[in-house]
């Protein structure tokens, strides 16, 4: 399943083109959902839950004690992709999507 070009970003890793997109579960959700899939094949896609902090919802108070990412960058996506491959993601083979959670050490844990 490919991602629409209009609502996703390209990323090139190890000679292969992928697309990635980020969305929030709900407007007040404390986590983002990152989707990554190979651009041309119908390979297995990953869904990664990434904790985030909305700096506007916490104005004036100290940040929560747990870890959060303020932004998902291409560098972070590359790190997540490498960790997902180590955890069993096979991006060029069809299969059911894999769900992961991003951990504080930037590894992914299978859900």
């Amino acid at each position: 399943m490919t991602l629409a070009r209009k609502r996703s970003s390209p990323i090139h890793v190890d000679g292969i083109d992928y697309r990635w997109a980020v969305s929030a579960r709900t407007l007040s959700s404390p986590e983002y959902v990152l989707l990554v899939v190979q651009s041309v094949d119908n390979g297995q896609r990953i869904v990664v839950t990434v904790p985030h902090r909305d700096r506007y919802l916490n104005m004036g108070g100290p940040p929560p004690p747990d870890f959060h990412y303020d932004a998902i960058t291409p560098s972070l996506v590359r790190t997540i992709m490498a960790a997902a491959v180590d955890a069993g993601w096979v991006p060029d083979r069809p299969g059911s999507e894999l769900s992961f959670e991003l951990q504080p050490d930037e590894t992914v844990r299978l859900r």
Side-chain angles (χ1 to χ4, degrees), residues 30-73:
E31 54 193 28
Y32 288 128
V33 176
L34 168 68
L35 301 168
V36 180
V37 68
Q38 234 180 6
S39 288
V40 293
D41 295 331
N42 263 343
Q44 189 175 36
R45 78 179 193 170
I46 57 172
V47 178
V48 183
T49 303
V50 180
H52 86 282
R53 177 187 310 121
D54 186 335
R55 64 186 80 200
Y56 299 107
L57 292 177
N58 199 31
M59 299 274 296
D66 53 348
F67 85 104
H68 289 275
Y69 287 89
D70 289 329
I72 297 177
T73 62

